[in-house]
Amino acid sequence: MAVKYKLGCELSYEVISPTVFIFNLEVAKLQSHRDLTEQLTITPDHVRRIYVSPDVKNQYVSICCQGGPLHLHYEAEVMLDVYRADPSQISETPIVDIPLDIMPFLLPSRFVPSDRLAAFANKEFGHMQKGHDRITAICNWLHEKIEYQPGSSNQQTTADESLLLRAGVCRDFAHLGIAFCRALGIPARFVSCYAHGLEPRDFHAVFEAYLDGRWWLFDATRQANLDGLVRIGVGRDAAEIAFASQFGDIVPGPIRIVIDPTEPAVSSTLRTIDAISTAETASNAGEE
């Protein structure tokens, strides 16, 4: 069942010196995001450049601010139409059958040194039956063994460091899930999103695993509903899809995030068990 959401964010900064900002906070242009209407307001109205990555459709907005206060307001309405399947019927894709454009999501990356965690991942999960249920088992392990602890990590924390700390936030849970999947030969990627059910409200990070020719959503934090995730961007890890990157001297202000259904909606509470996908189709799942 498709659900319509009203969502958005407000960001503010005090810019000390000339600064270039790159923002990635707009709803991704996907077939599963139907009837999208949106508006981005930047005050003062700086000249902006918009770039859409052709491979994954992330939309970036770049602006240059000379100094003073900067405020962004983004609001959107979108009908989220997710694809569901029986988890027990979703198998893993043999490496020989993985499309070439998916292969980068098998490799180690800046925050996901999956090669360093290969022995651990294979010992913990290598004996399990392959498929969607094995990724659910990874999420169960992360939820049980890693403490969700704000302030326990920072923007430089890597997946192997999170494993040693046994604590982290959504970003770290996603990086660990990706690392374990890649170590097991399963393509996985980082997803930023607006998340219905997340409290307190914030930008949220989850991950997708490529199974049976399609990308499937997973959230080991169990902080939000899988069928209430409106995607912003995807990348190999958080370095590629930060909601805001700045090159200059700034003082960040408060962040406000909104996502609410326009009508009362029934949403799944089995937050790591449902087989949920917002990929376009199985045949072009690597292109969106």
Side-chain angles (χ1 to χ4, degrees):
M1 180 181 69
V3 177
K4 190 173 186 178
Y5 289 98
K6 185 174 183 178
L7 57 87
C9 65
E10 290 189 40
L11 311 176
S12 61
Y13 303 88
E14 185 66 31
V15 180
I16 309 303
S17 64
T19 300
V20 173
F21 289 88
I22 300 175
F23 296 102
N24 180 214
L25 47 77
E26 297 176 86
V27 172
K29 308 306 185 285
L30 305 176
Q31 291 179 12
S32 57
H33 293 168
R34 293 165 29 202
D35 304 327
L36 173 64
T37 60
E38 59 184 343
Q39 183 175 7
L40 175 64
T41 304
I42 301 175
T43 309
D45 190 14
H46 296 281
V47 175
R48 70 196 74 170
R49 295 172 294 165
I50 298 175
Y51 171 71
V52 180
S53 57
D55 51 347
V56 293
K57 299 183 182 177
N58 295 343
Q59 181 157 300
Y60 302 93
V61 176
S62 174
I63 67 170
C64 182
C65 184
Q66 296 302 311
L70 175 67
H71 183 81
L72 282 83
H73 177 81
Y74 174 69
E75 59 182 21
E77 287 193 8
V78 63
M79 186 75 73
L80 177 62
D81 191 5
V82 304
Y83 177 80
R84 298 176 184 271
D86 180 353
S88 67
Q89 300 302 307
I90 301 170
S91 59
E92 294 177 19
T93 303
I95 292 180
V96 68
D97 295 328
I98 295 173
L100 197 58
D101 59 334
I102 303 293
M103 295 300 286
F105 299 105
L106 268 176
L107 304 177
S109 57
R110 169 67 178 87
F111 294 110
V112 183
S114 49
D115 50 339
R116 299 180 187 174
L117 298 179
F120 182 90
N122 277 281
K123 181 179 180 181
E124 290 289 335
F125 313 110
H127 63 282
M128 296 180 177
Q129 184 173 347
K130 296 180 179 181
H132 190 282
D133 289 340
R134 179 155 72 155
I135 317 303
T136 295
I138 290 173
C139 291
N140 291 342
W141 189 95
L142 291 170
H143 186 259
E144 293 169 3
K145 304 295 186 181
I146 308 297
E147 183 179 357
Y148 190 89
Q149 185 178 22
S152 60
S153 62
N154 57 45
Q155 293 182 347
Q156 302 303 316
T157 303
T158 60
D160 52 338
E161 291 171 337
S162 296
L163 183 61
L164 291 173
L165 290 169
R166 294 298 174 105
V169 293
C170 60
R171 175 184 186 274
D172 308 299
F173 278 72
H175 282 157
L176 273 169
I178 294 167
F180 291 156
C181 285
R182 291 180 186 173
L184 295 168
I186 305 165
R189 64 187 187 182
F190 192 92
V191 181
S192 61
C193 55
Y194 293 96
H196 176 51
L198 182 68
E199 294 293 343
R201 297 183 180 189
D202 201 346
F203 292 110
H204 195 40
V206 298
F207 73 97
E208 287 178 321
Y210 188 77
L211 305 166
D212 244 356
R214 193 180 194 112
W215 290 105
W216 299 91
L217 286 161
F218 295 90
D219 181 8
T221 71
R222 296 184 181 168
Q223 296 287 311
N225 298 326
L226 285 176
D227 55 359
L229 302 178
V230 179
R231 199 173 87 189
I232 299 171
V234 298
R236 290 176 300 172
D237 56 34
E240 295 187 343
I241 53 170
F243 72 87
S245 300
Q246 56 276 336
F247 304 89
D249 190 10
I250 61 102
V251 178
I255 297 175
R256 178 174 177 265
I257 307 293
V258 174
I259 176 168
D260 292 298
T262 58
E263 296 180 0
V266 177
S267 190
S268 170
T269 57
L270 299 177
R271 294 178 178 173
T272 61
I273 298 175
D274 282 4
I276 299 290
S277 174
T278 55
E280 304 291 84
T281 65
S283 62
N284 67 353
E287 299 175 3
E288 36 68 73

